[in-house]
Amino acid sequence: ELQQKVEETEVLKMELQMLETERVRLSLVEEKLLDVLQLLQQLRDLNISKRALGKILLSTLESCHDPQPGKAQLFEVLDTLQQELAACELLHKQPMEQAQSPRSLANPLVISC
């Protein structure tokens, strides 16, 4: 009976470690997703065309093409999309007055298409 309790304890420790690993992974995905959403918001404020945004998205998806999608691919796509959006020339050419003036009436989390 003592041996059985030891085995159950080991199993519970392994499950706890797996849960903690998944929690960390989800936290990283959440941070990357927030970065992507912030970049999309900045580009929307700069009136990026739908065509240009579509090209960025398609370029990202093509560069992350993997026949076996999974958790690692999700993070790779988010990371690549974040890099593609951050490299967008509009973000680096924005006028100072436009970069500093917040849109008072628009919801900052709504991205119109």
Side-chain angles (χ1 to χ4, degrees):
E1 189 175 310
L2 183 60
Q3 179 66 23
Q4 185 181 2
K5 293 288 185 187
V6 169
E7 289 173 3
E8 287 175 4
T9 303
E10 289 300 316
V11 168
L12 288 174
K13 283 181 182 178
M14 286 181 6
E15 287 178 1
L16 183 62
Q17 184 178 9
M18 288 175 18
L19 285 172
E20 182 62 20
T21 301
E22 185 67 8
R23 187 193 66 77
V24 169
R25 187 191 71 79
L26 287 174
S27 179
L28 292 172
V29 168
E30 180 183 27
E31 288 176 23
K32 190 59 69 173
L33 187 56
L34 286 174
D35 289 345
V36 166
L37 290 174
Q38 287 174 346
L39 288 167
L40 286 170
Q41 177 66 43
Q42 290 175 10
L43 290 170
R44 185 193 76 165
D45 291 344
L46 295 171
N47 294 323
I48 188 172
S49 71
K50 294 174 191 175
R51 178 171 285 183
L53 191 56
K55 286 181 181 180
I56 291 171
L57 182 58
L58 288 174
S59 171
T60 298
L61 293 174
E62 286 175 8
S63 68
C64 296
H65 180 69
D66 186 356
Q68 297 178 356
K71 295 176 183 177
Q73 186 190 19
L74 171 68
F75 190 79
E76 179 187 355
V77 169
L78 280 175
D79 189 48
T80 304
L81 181 57
Q82 186 263 336
Q83 291 171 12
E84 293 274 342
L85 291 170
C88 185
E89 290 180 18
L90 280 176
L91 288 175
H92 303 292
K93 292 182 180 180
Q94 65 183 352
M96 288 304 290
E97 64 275 1
Q98 188 175 9
Q100 294 174 351
S101 65
R103 297 174 77 174
S104 58
L105 298 177
N107 182 342
L109 296 178
V110 176
I111 299 171
S112 61
C113 295

